[in-house]
Amino acid sequence: MHIVLDDTAMTAAGQGNVLASRLIHRAHAEPGWYLYAPTCALVEADRARPGTAEHLAALPGITVLELDLPAALAVAQQETWAAAHSQYAAQPTPDRPDGAIVATTAPKRWDGEPVRVLDLNA
């Protein structure tokens, strides 16, 4: 299971969202669960809730995704960097042929976008 945290999911995790906490636990404890934090989304989450970036980056079950050249080119074509980097990170790759699911607390943000969404609102 490959899951990308968008900035809203990261902020929610820092505020004790139960579903986000479960994802973090699974990514750390269960084989086959992978959790990704795109750098641009991490920056936005930290702006919304200072300390979020440092906290999430320190968790062993989360992989921070850098803004490499292909990601930067994808981000440059979008309106917001956080959503664009999250969407780019969720696209299929050789390691993730089915892509990844975007975890969010703002599922409407993703309407019409080519990603699968996991709503963290319980």
Side-chain angles (χ1 to χ4, degrees), residues 24-47:
I24 292 167
H25 173 74
R26 282 195 166 157
H28 175 66
E30 295 183 29
W33 281 79
Y34 303 95
L35 206 52
Y36 304 98
T39 302
C40 293
L42 198 57
V43 168
E44 284 304 311
D46 201 69
R47 286 180 179 165

Side-chain angles (χ1 to χ4, degrees), residues 1-23:
M1 180 70 62
H2 296 274
I3 300 173
V4 173
L5 298 173
D6 76 359
D7 56 308
T8 67
M10 293 180 202
T11 303
Q15 294 172 327
N17 179 288
V18 173
L19 296 176
S21 295
R22 286 182 187 164
L23 289 176

Side-chain angles (χ1 to χ4, degrees), residues 25-102:
H25 173 74
R26 282 195 166 157
H28 175 66
E30 295 183 29
W33 281 79
Y34 303 95
L35 206 52
Y36 304 98
T39 302
C40 293
L42 198 57
V43 168
E44 284 304 311
D46 201 69
R47 286 180 179 165
R49 189 169 192 280
T52 300
E54 187 175 358
H55 174 73
L56 288 176
L59 295 173
I62 296 180
T63 301
V64 176
L65 300 176
E66 296 180 7
L67 187 64
D68 59 8
L69 180 58
L73 295 174
V75 165
Q77 298 175 19
Q78 299 291 327
E79 205 169 301
T80 67
W81 288 31
H85 199 188
S86 298
Q87 181 177 333
Y88 173 80
Q91 299 308 305
T93 66
D95 293 340
R96 298 183 309 270
D98 294 327
I101 299 167
V102 175

